[in-house]
Amino acid sequence: MTRREPSLFWRLALRVALVLCTGAALLITAAWVYARAAADDAYDRLLLGAAIQIAENLTVDAGHLIINLPSSAFELLGLAASDRIFYRVIDPAGQTLTGYDDLKTDIDLDTVRAEPVFASTEFRGVPVRLTIVARALSDPTLSGFAHVIVAQTTEARRALAGELTSHAIVLVAIMSVLALAGTMLAIRYSLQPIAHLGAAMRRRDPQDLTPIKVEAPRELQPFLASINHFMGRLNERVDLLQRFIADAAHQIRTPLTALSAQVDLLGQDQMDESGRRHLARVKKRADELARLTNQLLSHAMVIHRSESVQLAPVNLVDIARRAFRAAIPITIDPDIVVSFEAQSEAPMVLGDPVSLREAIVNVIDNSLRHGTISRLEVRVVSDREKARVEVEDDGVGIPPGEWERVTQRFVTSRAHEGSGGLGFAIASEVATAHGGRLGFREKGERGFTVYLEIPLAGQAEVKKKK
């Protein structure tokens, strides 16, 4: 079982979606990193401001370091209700002046001078972000550097980073959906030339093997050139096949006709009864071979023309009349009454005159050989939508249960021994190729009827457009 391949549109859409998803993931990751950096920067500024305010309130009095903690230093940090604040003030001797004595860091305080230092660590089992600010003391009674450490838990900054990231995710998702929708529309529009090329090929008549001339993008030109090259080769093969059928018809029919003539010239007067019986069998087999050969060539021609000849409006009465004249032999039994009837207004059908003539000839020939006893009638009738060529004879007819069966190749009706061949098969295939059908009508008071039904030219064109 052939695996069904996805369409080019969905292939492109899937790959674009994968690219957009990858890009969206990278953007979200970058947004998360940026949000954390922005949140850290914002809260680090608040930490630094609080530490600087505390450091600026350090004073020296009589050789002692005095601190007056400003309430404003903790007001901004206190806006984060979920966070806790820790601080520690260290004098030049390394002693804790005030605050949490266990608030320590791995940073060497002697290295902190003009520039503040930030660090992330843990204090009392919770992660904190701290800053260290140094204050130079130049009093004669006390000199050196005092250090202020201010720490804050990280819940607020993590919440801010999460909020910024969620907003970025929503924005990236909306932009990705819009980009995907726009890309799918662009892909659909960009693939329209392929649909136009397919529509142009579907609109072409099956018999039209000329090169396709449609505007196509540069990427489709190799594909279009390959199609035109293939159609050119196919047209050459069709021409070769047509010539082969014509040559085969001539080369095979000629010796069969000569063989039948030679059999007819054999004198039966000098033969005994057994010889005459054998000669009759040879003549019968030669006639059957000639008829079968003609039917095989006719069938091959019909198949070929159904795929290579463009249908055109034709007069069904003229075609049926020519078929009637070709099918009725000159040596027909004079006791058989044959007739041809047609309406005054000839119906026009969309068809191939050669194939229609062969189909009608085969139906008439089959009636003469296996049905007609004393009467054969050929009629052309029509209504508003269809035209019919009816062949009626006074034979026993074909039982309804065998109607579908006898249209198959080399099938013999049980009512007609030896009638197997291609006559009805050829007629049925021609009718189907013309949008019609080969039908039968039960034997009534007059006789059994076989009819070839074809849509009128206007109705056939409407069906073809649909």
Side-chain angles (χ1 to χ4, degrees), residues 1-2 23 36 64 102 125 160 204 228 256 268 305 400 428:
M1 183 177 180
T2 304
R36 289 197 60 179
H64 297 283
D102 56 345
L160 178 60
R204 287 173 68 90
N228 288 334
L256 285 176
Q268 299 185 17
R305 294 185 68 87
S428 179

Side-chain angles (χ1 to χ4, degrees), residues 114-393:
E115 296 295 330
V117 176
F118 293 93
S120 297
T121 184
E122 285 191 2
F123 179 65
R124 296 184 179 181
V126 294
V128 295
R129 178 76 170 173
L130 60 81
T131 182
I132 305 173
V133 176
R135 168 73 183 278
L137 302 176
S138 58
D139 191 85
T141 59
L142 183 64
S143 63
F145 284 91
H147 295 86
V148 177
I149 303 175
V150 180
Q152 183 184 26
T153 54
T154 58
E155 285 83 358
R157 64 180 65 209
R158 298 285 82 82
L160 178 60
E163 183 179 358
L164 294 176
T165 303
S166 62
H167 291 167
I169 290 175
V170 172
L171 181 61
V172 170
I174 294 175
M175 294 302 298
S176 298
V177 171
L178 293 177
L180 181 60
T183 302
M184 293 182 73
L185 290 176
I187 292 174
R188 180 74 69 182
Y189 179 78
S190 300
L191 294 179
Q192 282 185 352
I194 299 179
H196 293 162
L197 178 59
M201 295 182 65
R202 286 193 298 271
R203 287 194 301 266
R204 287 173 68 90
D205 192 274
Q207 291 80 33
D208 187 2
L209 297 179
T210 58
I212 301 175
K213 296 180 180 179
V214 295
E215 295 183 0
R218 182 175 56 190
E219 291 76 10
L220 290 180
Q221 290 299 329
F223 177 68
L224 186 59
S226 298
I227 292 177
N228 288 334
H229 178 66
F230 172 77
M231 293 178 66
R233 294 174 58 189
L234 181 61
N235 191 33
E236 294 176 0
R237 296 297 184 273
V238 169
D239 291 341
L240 289 175
L241 178 60
Q242 189 172 7
R243 288 196 294 270
F244 169 76
I245 292 175
D247 294 342
H250 175 73
Q251 296 296 329
I252 295 177
R253 285 170 177 167
T254 299
L256 285 176
T257 302
L259 176 61
S260 298
Q262 291 296 323
V263 171
D264 290 336
L265 293 176
L266 291 176
Q268 299 185 17
D269 296 338
Q270 300 176 359
M271 296 182 181
D272 56 12
E273 184 64 26
S274 177
R276 285 193 292 271
R277 286 199 305 269
H278 287 299
L279 180 62
R281 291 175 182 174
V282 170
K283 181 173 175 33
K284 180 180 179 182
R285 296 306 180 189
D287 292 341
E288 289 179 354
L289 179 59
R291 178 171 177 266
L292 180 58
T293 301
N294 290 332
Q295 285 187 336
L296 287 172
L297 293 173
S298 176
H299 187 244
M301 179 194 66
V302 166
I303 294 176
H304 165 68
R305 294 185 68 87
S306 67
E307 297 177 352
S308 61
V309 176
Q310 189 169 0
L311 304 183
V314 293
N315 188 327
L316 188 59
V317 173
D318 290 344
I319 295 173
R321 183 175 285 111
R322 289 197 296 270
F324 177 79
R325 293 171 180 171
I328 303 299
I330 300 176
T331 58
I332 189 174
D333 190 340
D335 294 332
I336 298 178
V337 178
V338 296
S339 63
F340 181 88
E341 299 178 9
Q343 298 175 342
S344 58
E345 183 177 352
M348 302 294 292
V349 298
L350 197 65
D352 170 29
V354 177
S355 297
L356 287 174
R357 175 182 173 277
E358 288 295 323
I360 299 171
V361 165
N362 276 277
V363 174
I364 296 175
D365 180 72
N366 193 82
S367 177
L368 282 174
R369 291 177 179 273
H370 309 293
T372 301
I373 299 175
S374 61
R375 179 178 56 84
L376 173 67
E377 296 180 6
V378 178
R379 296 184 296 271
V380 181
V381 298
S382 63
D383 52 27
R384 293 183 178 180
E385 297 182 355
K386 299 176 181 179
R388 289 190 307 278
V389 178
E390 300 180 348
V391 179
E392 181 182 305
D393 61 59

